[in-house]
Amino acid sequence: MERENMRCVILVTSDIHGYIQSVDYRTREEIPSGLAKLATLIKEERTKCPNLLLIDNGDMLQGSPFAAFAAAHASGIHPCIEVMNNLQYDAAVPGNHEFNYGFETLKHAVETSRFPWLASNIIAKETGEPSLGKPYTVKRIEDKLNVVILGATTHYIPHWEKASHIDGLEFRNSLEAVKAWTAYIREHEQPDLLIVSYHGGFERDLANGQATERLTGENQAYAICAEVPGIDVLITGHQHRLIAEQLNGVLVVQTGSNGQALGQFTIEFEYSGDGWRVVSKTARLLQPAADTAADREVEVLTGDMERMTQEWLDQPIGTAEGDLSVDDPFECRKAPHPFVQFIHQVQLEATGAEISAAALLSEECRGFGSVITVRDVLSAFVYPNTLTVLRLTGEDIRLALEQSAAYFELDAAGKPGISEAYLQPKAQHYNYDMWAGIEYDIDLSFPVGKRITRLSRNGEELSVNAEYSVVMNSYRAGGGGNFDMFQGKPVLYEGAEDMADLAVGHIQSKGLLTASDDRNWQLMW
């Protein structure tokens, strides 16, 4: 029998975070990323290969000012879904940030999509069935190739998300769900190609298998490649890394964030009478060039919403006296800073807590100038976190400070730098907190875990067993960032408004902000 050959191309987006148009929302300058520019690449690839599948791996609906404005003001189909429908996606997987605006918002997005959403491990407690679409979808290529796409999402979502946003949902272990469904698919669907789209990342170094983070289950991609037979392609995300390689015979990609890159798998098949077999497979990343034009159709689809977003961002909401600017995020984390003090003031006034813990969440944050706009606030508060007040002991606070103090390490010159653990496999600057309402010293001459050499409140040593009300964002209160000492602590208050809205309201009520800081802590080495 004469041999037959076929090629299948899979294109992947992930962690777009509402960056559709190619614009820097801080400066309004054009940037070489965003789904509109990836759309140009997608359409180019479609002209080269008719057997093309397009998959989104999650975190599409949240993360940019455009996404925040659309969540509050869009009627009908969400503009991100309109774009995905236009680009003819074949499947999508929910990311953890898809739940940030509540389950009803996500459900509406699913219902208005002209493609299936896949979530094998997100289960409706009432029925015991997958709650968002189905576990997998089958695609027939030229009525010859049988391609199956299985979806899974990090099951760590309950550690971060507001309980009301995921009420009635069970997040089963991603690795175990992929194992079970892969075996089922192999038996019942006989796929020629099995793709797993997993909104999660790698917990181990791809080269040597060494753990790169605490093995909490948040990321399980390495284990999926090592422990689940029968997978040909694994799409990953969540960590915002740029990866295109092969691990244990499985092709893997991760496409960064905000439309940095398009993942591409190319699979060559041969038919020899006893079925199709893979003869070659490659993975690579396609990145927009400096002169890549944004797709005009996508720009038109989102143009009205983008224009309204820009008008909203430019609204002045207050003024500032003194220096509330952030010139260097690292320098801002090395000493008390007026902008961080502003964050503490918002948190303390909104909740009435005694003590505040806060992080500088974005490396792009530049603080405030003399005139403060919505754009300035949204650039600083990039996640829709709400506030939570926990009852903590003095010992809990000390342990949390030691966890944050691990952010620093001394460089070869004996000066403070950033610990490699906070830079690899992805940057985690947002997991370093600064505190108000207490006084403390971080001494880097001591080993990690023993760096807090002074800890007091109002000049008196903080008692180990005394209890205090402490406000922080909802992500941290759930233990996010390896703050295990917060898990299971009594909750005194849970807010409904996200931090950006609280900050805007605070500025509008004050009218004028005056730069100040308490000089309540210091970094020593």
Side-chain angles (χ1 to χ4, degrees):
M1 179 180 175
E2 190 174 325
R3 295 180 184 273
E4 184 179 359
N5 296 299
M6 282 191 67
R7 171 183 293 176
C8 179
V9 172
I10 302 106
L11 298 182
V12 175
T13 57
S14 188
D15 297 271
I16 297 294
H17 286 291
Y19 278 85
I20 306 299
Q21 300 214 19
S22 302
V23 60
D24 183 328
Y25 284 100
R26 293 181 300 109
T27 65
R28 299 189 72 161
E29 295 176 352
E30 184 179 353
I31 53 176
S33 55
L35 186 54
K37 292 203 171 188
L38 295 187
T40 298
L41 304 184
I42 291 167
K43 291 182 179 181
E44 287 176 358
E45 293 304 312
R46 284 197 189 278
T47 66
K48 301 175 187 176
C49 180
N51 302 325
L52 186 148
L53 299 175
L54 178 58
I55 302 168
D56 184 72
N57 192 50
D59 280 4
M60 173 66 78
L61 303 177
Q62 180 280 333
S64 69
F66 174 88
F69 188 82
H73 299 283
S75 58
I77 301 177
H78 191 288
C80 291
I81 300 300
E82 281 197 282
V83 171
M84 295 175 76
N85 286 341
N86 175 267
L87 292 173
Q88 301 175 44
Y89 274 77
D90 291 282
V93 171
N96 53 295
H97 285 291
E98 251 72 67
F99 294 87
N100 287 167
Y101 298 119
F103 186 71
E104 287 305 311
T105 298
L106 174 54
K107 184 180 176 185
H108 179 69
V110 170
E111 290 172 347
T112 53
S113 299
R114 296 203 296 264
F115 49 85
W117 288 68
L118 310 175
S120 63
N121 66 314
I122 303 176
I123 307 300
K125 292 178 181 178
E126 188 174 329
T127 64
E129 298 294 325
S131 64
L132 290 166
K134 50 189 178 179
Y136 66 89
T137 189
V138 181
K139 305 293 291 187
R140 292 284 291 174
I141 306 296
E142 292 188 8
D143 204 30
K144 296 176 181 179
L145 279 176
N146 204 31
V147 179
V148 177
I149 309 165
L150 171 67
T153 302
T154 176
H155 60 267
Y156 220 61
I157 288 173
H159 291 265
W160 311 309
E161 191 54 70
K162 288 180 65 175
S164 60
H165 289 178
I166 55 174
D167 185 41
L169 300 180
E170 177 187 353
F171 293 82
R172 294 182 179 172
N173 185 286
S174 307
L175 174 63
E176 297 307 315
V178 170
K179 281 182 180 178
W181 281 107
T182 296
Y184 178 91
I185 290 165
R186 283 289 174 194
E187 179 181 354
H188 294 276
E189 303 291 354
Q190 290 83 49
D192 298 303
L193 184 72
L194 177 53
I195 303 165
V196 174
S197 187
Y198 165 55
H199 189 83
F202 288 93
E203 71 280 27
R204 296 182 181 275
D205 188 291
L206 275 69
N208 57 33
Q210 295 296 310
T212 53
E213 61 185 36
R214 296 175 64 184
L215 301 180
T216 62
E218 176 181 350
N219 298 301
Q220 297 179 303
Y222 192 95
I224 289 172
C225 289
E227 300 177 26
V228 186
I231 297 173
D232 299 297
V233 168
L234 177 64
I235 300 164
T236 69
H238 186 53
Q239 294 173 314
H240 300 179
R241 299 167 66 186
L242 293 168
I243 298 171
E245 53 188 274
Q246 193 166 162
L247 178 63
N248 294 334
V250 181
L251 286 184
V252 297
V253 297
Q254 195 170 139
T255 60
S257 65
N258 303 350
Q260 280 180 283
L262 186 68
Q264 183 190 61
F265 300 100
T266 303
I267 319 293
E268 302 281 355
F269 293 89
E270 181 181 81
Y271 189 85
S272 58
D274 57 352
W276 293 97
R277 67 184 184 91
V278 174
V279 292
S280 72
K281 55 183 183 178
T282 58
R284 66 175 182 147
L285 298 176
L286 307 177
Q287 294 184 263
D291 60 350
T292 299
D295 180 75
R296 181 61 183 156
E297 214 170 353
V298 170
E299 287 191 316
V300 170
L301 276 173
T302 55
D304 287 344
M305 188 64 68
E306 179 67 27
R307 176 182 53 77
M308 291 187 289
T309 299
Q310 294 291 349
E311 290 173 356
W312 169 61
L313 289 173
D314 284 333
Q315 291 179 24
I317 54 175
T319 57
E321 184 177 73
D323 189 1
L324 279 161
S325 64
V326 177
D327 296 324
D328 182 331
F330 182 61
E331 291 300 317
C332 180
R333 296 185 179 103
K334 285 171 59 181
H337 191 283
F339 185 78
V340 178
Q341 185 64 31
F342 158 75
I343 300 175
H344 289 310
Q345 288 171 353
V346 174
Q347 295 192 165
L348 291 167
E349 289 188 20
T351 63
E354 298 170 282
I355 297 169
S356 172
L360 187 68
L361 297 175
S362 171
E363 294 305 280
E364 305 305 318
C365 174
R366 294 298 175 260
F368 299 150
S370 58
V371 176
I372 307 169
T373 65
V374 174
R375 189 183 302 276
D376 298 324
V377 174
L378 269 290
S379 296
F381 301 99
V382 293
Y383 304 109
N385 292 318
T386 55
L387 294 181
T388 301
V389 178
L390 299 180
R391 180 185 294 136
L392 301 179
T393 65
E395 178 64 8
D396 295 328
I397 293 170
R398 186 190 66 78
L399 290 172
L401 287 167
E402 292 287 5
Q403 175 64 33
S404 280
Y407 175 76
F408 298 102
E409 65 180 16
L410 295 177
D411 61 20
K415 295 189 176 179
I418 303 169
S419 169
E420 191 70 13
Y422 283 79
L423 298 173
Q424 300 295 336
K426 70 169 183 176
Q428 300 180 59
H429 304 289
Y430 52 82
N431 282 329
Y432 168 72
D433 288 338
M434 294 157 280
W435 291 61
I438 55 175
E439 304 91 40
Y440 61 98
D441 293 339
I442 302 173
D443 191 337
L444 301 185
S445 67
F446 287 87
V448 170
K450 298 184 181 298
R451 290 177 165 179
I452 305 304
T453 55
R454 174 177 67 112
L455 178 54
S456 60
R457 176 168 164 77
N458 298 326
E460 295 185 6
E461 185 176 349
L462 210 65
S463 171
V464 171
N465 297 315
E467 295 182 330
Y468 306 89
S469 58
V470 182
V471 59
M472 62 194 71
N473 68 51
S474 51
Y475 168 77
R476 186 72 78 241
N482 298 324
F483 284 77
D484 298 341
M485 70 292 299
F486 294 157
Q487 292 183 349
K489 297 301 178 182
V491 176
L492 304 180
Y493 169 88
E494 281 187 299
E497 283 190 274
D498 71 51
M499 189 59 187
D501 290 340
L502 289 170
V504 168
H506 179 93
I507 295 166
Q508 288 175 326
S509 68
K510 302 290 184 185
L512 174 67
L513 299 184
T514 302
S516 66
D517 68 72
D518 287 348
R519 293 287 161 188
N520 61 307
W521 65 274
Q522 62 178 333
L523 185 69
M524 303 184 296
W525 58 94

